[in-house]
Amino acid sequence: MTSTFAMLPLLWAKDAVRALNSPDKAIEVQVKLNPLAYSVSMQGRPVLLSSALGLELKDQPAIGEWKLLHEERHSVDRTWTPVWGKDSKIRDRYTETCLQLEEKKGLHRRMDLIVRAYPDGIALRYALPKQPGLEHFVVTKELTSFRFPSDANIWAATMEKYHHSFEHEYVKQHLSQIPAGAHIYLPALAQVESKIYASVMEADLTDWAGMYLTPKGAMNLSADLSPRLDGDGLVKADAPHQTPWRVIMLGQKPGDLIESNLIENLNPPSKITDTSWIKPGMMAWDHWWSGGVKMDNETNRRYISFASEMGFPYQLIDWQWYGEFNRPEANITRPAPQIDMPGLIRFAAERHVREWIWIHSGDVTRVKNEGKLDEAFATYEKWGIAGVKIDFMDSNDQGIVNWYEDIVSLAAKHHLMVDFHGAFEPTGLRVTWPNLLTREGVMGNEYNKFSTRVTPLHKLTLPFTRMLAGPMDYTPGGFLNRSPSEWKQTTPTEVMGSRAQELALFVVYWSPLTCVTDDPEHYKDQPGLEFLRVVPTIWDETKVLDGEVGEHIIIARRSGMKWFIGGMTGDKSYDYRLSLSFLPKGEYVAHLFTDPKDTSASYEKIERLTQHVTSSSSLALNMRLAGGVAIYLEPAK
């Protein structure tokens, strides 16, 4: 790691501008003092015009003019190893300035503005030092805004309320089309120009309210913090305190953003010293998704046996295992009468499978408030439970944000991994607490059961929007594959898209804990099942080879010496010549699972092909409408 530091004591003229460039000089951030604002450019082209900065505090007058007390700059270039990720080595390279500001008049309040410029984006945050009159504060408004230079295309999930499941389409529209008062949840992707893509996100969300965006004037989006449930402002905190990072991830192509590790780089390192017990992997899921709930021993044994046959390390015992949930009388350590939990855990262990269990967040909160959650998690650890899936938080207010960290830290104490459902988008908490493997916050495969919304367009938009924030528990693996015109809402549940596309989801979509969604009966003797036996859930390297938002994508991911490739198309067929130049020297065996050449063939059909290739080879990929391709390459023996 290399770092350089410089302390620059100076006073700015009223309208002076300070510029910060990324290490590769591609991105520039300019900060103006009065009024406090920033702008961003990439390759000399504007990304954001002068955009407001600042906070408003309860029972405090508005901030007047600022003066600069000190400016401290430094640069960092280091490589670090995450516990798990989409890359096993991450380069953290940026320049940073910390502007220590003080009001010129009045209360002489102080605030630091910290700005970073990376090769793949920028980030900024505020820090309030401890000072007379600001030992405690309540934020009533965050002024941070994002003013684009034109009526850009934006892919945004908009809601009319703050509390919801964070499961929605990311609709393509112009900035001017977003209705006044809409709450846009993150990430929000904008195409500023033909070769400038920008995603607005947040990172290191700690003891603060989650951020939405809302329209504020022409081409301008403003921070829109989730209000506290007690009605007292947006954020309550004690100084010293800093805000989350406000992030603009940047790339010339939409696929550049998928390759970025900017969110990981903006979060504190792991607080877990011994991470050897944290083991990502595939998980069988009881058949709530593709049938009715049958919470009994026989059903769970059937799914445990399937996990064992597939080589999956986990099986999930979902809701109703402790009977009625989200009730005062619910007991999260007492299985329902029909469930033999010790017997199921023993049955699983004999087959080299471990159990995850589902809990309603309301029951977790009640037990936590009673001071008994530590005891409950200790019970799970004693049982031998691998992890907990906690559901229905449906908010990102400050209280819930803090609740998340309380839960994952307590879970870590008892060697429990965590999967949050009904959850807001990831902000990098997984870096600090790597036992948090995944979360939902995505309109996933389960929506095929009760809606028409999981369309090819939606599936081809997710990698460029929601997935930019981090792992998403989409629950892939529906094997009742149908063309969009043939698909119908029925039980058992069908999915729109070809079998090859469904296999590709395991490469394109990223979730270290990948919950395989369908009933074992639907997998029996089915083509493509062998791909699910070999595909990993964490990666050493990720490359986006091709992609357009909502249209098509081809991703290559490496695990050890093997490469896995997933390709997907949306509402149109797509042909692509895949160069294998990214392969190391030597001969590889390529195993291909493709759409049939006969376009009238059933969407459950695939063609299986094996051939020897090298880095000088190329493969012709022909994907039909809502189609795909899945490939894995291994060194030839």
Side-chain angles (χ1 to χ4, degrees), residues 423-434:
F424 63 87
E425 90 287 352
T427 61
L429 184 61
R430 63 189 181 275
V431 176
T432 310
W433 296 101

Side-chain angles (χ1 to χ4, degrees), residues 132-264:
L134 270 184
E135 294 87 354
H136 317 283
F137 62 89
V138 176
V139 176
T140 55
K141 189 174 185 180
E142 181 175 338
L143 302 176
T144 310
S145 65
F146 307 85
R147 188 162 70 93
F148 291 89
S150 63
D151 194 10
N153 283 326
I154 185 168
W155 287 264
T158 58
M159 303 299 293
E160 296 180 354
K161 57 184 180 179
Y162 290 103
H163 303 290
H164 51 87
S165 63
F166 299 88
E167 299 164 9
H168 206 275
E169 296 90 345
Y170 293 80
V171 178
K172 182 181 180 180
Q173 55 199 305
H174 288 289
L175 280 166
S176 60
Q177 294 176 303
I178 299 174
H183 306 301
I184 304 167
Y185 65 81
L186 305 182
L189 175 70
Q191 183 179 8
V192 182
E193 290 188 3
S194 62
K195 292 188 177 182
I196 298 180
Y197 286 82
S199 180
V200 180
M201 308 166 74
E202 59 183 337
D204 193 15
L205 175 57
T206 304
D207 196 16
W208 203 261
M211 183 175 75
Y212 294 83
L213 301 173
T214 195
K216 185 181 180 183
M219 317 315 161
N220 190 35
L221 300 175
S222 181
D224 175 26
L225 300 188
S226 187
R228 290 178 55 86
L229 294 183
D230 63 10
D232 191 6
L234 307 173
V235 174
K236 279 184 177 180
D238 298 329
H241 199 83
Q242 59 187 11
T243 72
W245 290 104
R246 280 40 187 120
V247 181
I248 300 99
M249 187 183 288
L250 293 167
Q252 295 187 41
K253 307 183 300 296
D256 294 343
L257 307 186
I258 297 173
E259 294 181 0
S260 172
N261 283 296
L262 186 54
I263 298 300
E264 286 82 354

Side-chain angles (χ1 to χ4, degrees), residues 445 454 459-460 462-463 467 472 474-478 495-496 498-511 514 531 535 557 565-568 629-630:
N445 248 346
V454 187
K459 293 166 75 173
L460 268 296
L462 285 178
M467 197 174 75
M472 56 183 192
Y474 177 89
T475 65
V495 295
M496 289 188 211
S498 72
R499 174 69 54 82
Q501 180 177 103
E502 199 70 15
L503 299 180
L505 288 177
F506 288 84
V507 180
V508 175
Y509 291 179
W510 177 43
S511 182
T514 299
F531 188 80
V535 64
R557 301 190 193 263
I565 298 169
M568 296 169 55
V629 60

